[in-house]
Amino acid sequence: MRPKIFVSGDIDGFFGLMIDNLIQLLVIIALCVWLCGFPIAFITSVVMPGIAVSLLIGNLFYAWLSYRLGIREGRDDVTALPYGINTVSLFAFIFFILFPVYKETGDYVAAWKAGILASFLSGLIEVGGSFVAGWIRRSTPRAALLSSLAGIAITFISMDFLLRTFQNPLVGFIPFGIILVQYFANVKFPLMIPGGLLAVIVGTGLAWLSGIWGTPLMQMEQVSLATATIGFEFPKIYISELFSVLEPSYLSAYFAVILPMGIFNVIGSLQNLESADAAGDSYDTKSSLLVNGIGTIAGSLFGSPFPTTIYIGHPGWKGLGAKIGYSVLNGAFITVLSLFGLIGLISALIPIEAGMAIVLWIGIVIGAQAFQSVPKNHAPAVVVGLFPALAGWAVLMVQSVFIYADNQLQTILSQSGVSGVHNLWMSNVSMSQPILPYALDGVLSLSQGFLLTAMVWASITVFIIDRQFKKASIWCLAGGVLSLVGIIHAYTLSGNAILTEFRLYYDSKFTIAYILLAVLMFIASYFKLSPRKE
């Protein structure tokens, strides 16, 4: 059997991945303009062509890799690894690198240069990590690798789109129902139209008709404004601009963001490979992660300040029936959008609400896979691995509320002519107050480095369940080392920004706690074991 390049399921897979990538690009445009002073013309002529280069390289490579896997194993059901911009790194680089540089210098070009340098170094970390990721994958229980992905799927993917669905039920319910009916009940629609395509068509129609029963979601004025950004921009190489900021001051100031994000990308991609393996497609760890880093490096050299990564969601795309073609279609389509300035026009014609049902379904499948692809008795470890991601999402919600409230306060004060400095900042909240601060301190500690925290605690739980207490002790010590250098649990509040401190951390309570837990696990290995109860 030889794999087919295009099948009908690739249409659904394309719409789902395209909508996901499109959302990332719209977020980039909004935040770069709002926070970092990027002119729209600069984004469309410099940043977007760089993103197009990195996405095209990755999507085509992973399509080719899946074709090779199908040839080698004689299968026609291989699904390509999804690929795109890393969401967590996107927010981290904007809030902790681009925005601070712009705020300090008032120069958006300086902020952009710092961003492409950070992305370049992150890519180097990903390339280096590809040589040790295989060992990490073999040493980590599957429940630990999949549970943290499930946490991300439930929170950062599914919850956002689920809330949007319930915010606009007359637009969101029917497309979601179409997806559930086809992919959970295997119902075939007339004319063999793919469920994802039908959901997008119906959702788009409902969004354009939403003005009949309430506030319209779509307006023709948006289409007219979006046409102003149309125009071809050929990618350019910015090597001299990148190395012009390769100096100790930048490295020391932002290494605490770059290194954890680079490690985060390596571990996240590793977990996605394990997720693909659990779904039946076993890809080589080293080559997959190596090209992941190369895509990020290429994007930075062509002007993109945002790292790319193997995307979460492989089992979901596989469940949609997508194979190889969806990756090729996505890479080509996003490249055309980015080079011709068409992103704004597409978003003005096809609302997010039209395609979010597909992405929501992807999140559901990933969450379910974490329980279905591990031994039944390891299910409690999967649950434990969900908690850090839940904390990360909660922190994002709290931070968003503070940022919005502070912006509203500044607007009111400026209109009232009030002098002096008045802010609503998280850093001004006393940690001794017996209301929010206790929960805030706990959720901040749990959320920082949540991907690694989830791996550590899920691994500890797996080895406790398996009564391998000395291995559990080793993972406790790993948690102690990570907390000692500030990769997990460490944070500093600066206004409404949450900064990670990568250094010998001044607060040793977590390190001591992990060491004591390791001692307990080691002692437990000598306890007498009772027969297991059913």
Side-chain angles (χ1 to χ4, degrees):
M1 299 177 69
R2 298 178 66 87
K4 298 179 180 178
I5 302 299
F6 292 101
V7 297
S8 61
D10 285 319
I11 299 176
D12 286 0
F14 160 69
F15 274 105
L17 188 56
M18 180 271 289
I19 290 292
D20 204 328
N21 283 179
L22 183 62
I23 291 170
Q24 305 287 0
L25 298 180
L26 293 176
V27 168
I28 287 173
I29 293 173
L31 292 182
C32 284
V33 171
W34 178 46
L35 289 176
C36 307
F38 283 33
I40 290 292
F42 183 81
I43 295 176
T44 56
S45 63
V46 176
V47 177
M48 288 301 167
I51 291 175
V53 169
S54 59
L55 291 184
L56 186 61
I57 288 174
N59 278 279
L60 293 182
F61 170 79
Y62 291 117
W64 174 80
L65 195 65
S66 63
Y67 183 81
R68 289 289 303 272
L69 180 63
I71 293 292
R72 186 170 65 250
E73 298 184 354
R75 298 164 50 200
D76 65 352
D77 62 343
V78 178
T79 298
L81 292 166
Y83 180 79
I85 295 173
N86 187 289
T87 306
V88 178
S89 293
L90 186 161
F91 284 102
F93 278 28
I94 287 180
F95 283 104
F96 303 145
I97 296 179
L98 274 69
F99 176 60
V101 172
Y102 176 71
K103 189 175 181 180
E104 179 181 349
T105 64
D107 183 1
Y108 69 88
V109 176
W112 166 71
K113 288 181 179 180
I116 60 174
L117 174 64
S119 184
F120 177 78
L121 296 177
S122 179
L124 292 180
I125 295 171
E126 293 176 38
V127 169
S130 67
F131 293 94
V132 298
W135 173 81
I136 297 174
R137 185 177 177 184
R138 291 188 297 270
S139 305
T140 307
R142 172 168 283 187
L145 291 170
L146 297 185
S147 63
S148 51
L149 280 188
I152 295 173
I154 292 170
T155 54
F156 293 94
I157 296 179
S158 295
M159 281 303 297
D160 179 55
F161 293 110
L162 187 63
L163 295 177
R164 283 175 176 263
T165 299
F166 278 82
Q167 182 180 359
N168 297 295
L170 293 175
V171 175
F173 274 24
I174 298 301
F176 189 39
I178 292 172
I179 295 297
L180 295 180
V181 165
Q182 177 160 21
Y183 295 111
F184 282 148
N186 293 324
V187 171
K188 299 298 181 182
F189 292 106
L191 304 178
M192 299 300 293
I193 184 171
L197 177 58
L198 181 61
V200 170
I201 293 173
V202 172
T204 300
L206 290 172
W208 278 100
L209 295 173
S210 58
I212 297 176
W213 57 78
T215 304
L217 293 176
M218 311 300 293
Q219 297 176 351
M220 286 302 300
E221 291 81 0
Q222 296 173 331
V223 179
S224 301
L225 292 174
T227 58
T229 62
I230 297 177
F232 179 74
E233 293 290 344
F234 195 79
K236 304 178 184 65
I237 297 180
Y238 298 97
I239 296 179
S240 60
E241 287 83 356
L242 189 153
F243 286 99
S244 67
V245 291
L246 186 60
E247 55 187 46
S249 60
Y250 274 101
L251 295 179
S252 61
Y254 303 112
F255 194 66
V257 177
I258 297 169
L259 182 59
M261 285 298 100
I263 296 174
F264 183 95
N265 289 348
V266 172
I267 297 300
S269 297
L270 184 64
Q271 291 166 331
N272 288 319
L273 287 175
E274 186 68 20
S275 178
D277 186 49
D281 296 338
S282 182
Y283 288 100
D284 177 67
T285 303
K286 183 178 178 181
S287 59
S288 298
L289 295 185
L290 186 62
V291 173
N292 191 19
I294 291 174
T296 296
I297 292 173
S300 66
L301 293 175
F302 281 89
S304 170
F306 305 109
T308 50
T309 187
I310 298 173
Y311 245 26
I312 189 173
H314 173 277
W317 309 125
K318 195 173 186 69
L320 289 171
K323 300 295 186 287
I324 299 172
Y326 89 104
S327 183
V328 177
L329 287 174
N330 180 72
F333 187 78
I334 295 298
T335 298
V336 171
L337 290 187
S338 300
L339 296 184
F340 286 87
L342 296 171
I343 292 173
L345 179 61
I346 293 298
S347 65
L349 293 172
I350 304 176
I352 293 174
E353 286 75 9
M356 64 187 180
I358 303 175
V359 186
L360 176 55
W361 186 82
I362 297 298
I364 294 171
V365 172
I366 297 168
Q369 185 202 43
F371 291 93
Q372 296 168 341
S373 301
V374 302
K376 184 178 180 180
N377 64 328
H378 288 176
V382 174
V383 176
V384 170
L386 299 178
F387 295 146
L390 293 172
W393 188 73
V395 165
L396 181 61
M397 296 299 101
V398 172
Q399 187 181 28
S400 299
V401 170
F402 270 96
I403 291 174
Y404 176 78
D406 184 58
N407 289 337
Q408 292 296 103
L409 175 63
Q410 301 312 312
T411 301
I412 294 172
L413 293 178
S414 63
Q415 293 175 348
S416 304
V418 177
S419 59
V421 179
H422 304 276
N423 296 100
L424 286 174
W425 284 347
M426 285 192 294
S427 59
N428 292 338
V429 178
S430 172
M431 289 295 172
S432 62
Q433 294 180 13
I435 42 173
L436 175 63
Y438 284 127
L440 183 60
D441 180 52
V443 76
L444 282 169
S445 298
L446 181 57
S447 69
Q448 297 307 290
F450 66 85
L451 202 63
L452 290 171
T453 302
M455 285 181 60
V456 168
W457 278 95
S459 297
I460 292 171
T461 308
V462 164
F463 289 122
I464 290 175
I465 292 171
D466 292 345
R467 295 179 168 182
Q468 299 181 39
F469 297 107
K470 290 181 179 177
K471 289 185 178 180
S473 179
I474 292 173
W475 276 97
C476 292
L477 293 176
V481 172
L482 292 173
S483 64
L484 178 66
V485 297
I487 293 180
I488 61 176
H489 306 319
Y491 69 89
T492 297
L493 295 178
S494 177
N496 287 322
I498 306 168
L499 307 179
T500 301
E501 296 191 54
F502 184 77
R503 61 182 176 86
L504 287 180
Y505 197 50
Y506 60 86
D507 188 349
S508 59
K509 62 183 180 183
F510 285 106
T511 303
I512 296 172
Y514 276 114
I515 292 174
L516 293 176
L517 189 60
V519 172
L520 173 63
M521 295 298 112
F522 184 79
I523 294 174
S525 65
Y526 293 97
F527 290 166
K528 182 179 179 180
L529 300 177
S530 302
R532 290 189 182 273
K533 297 180 180 180
E534 291 295 333

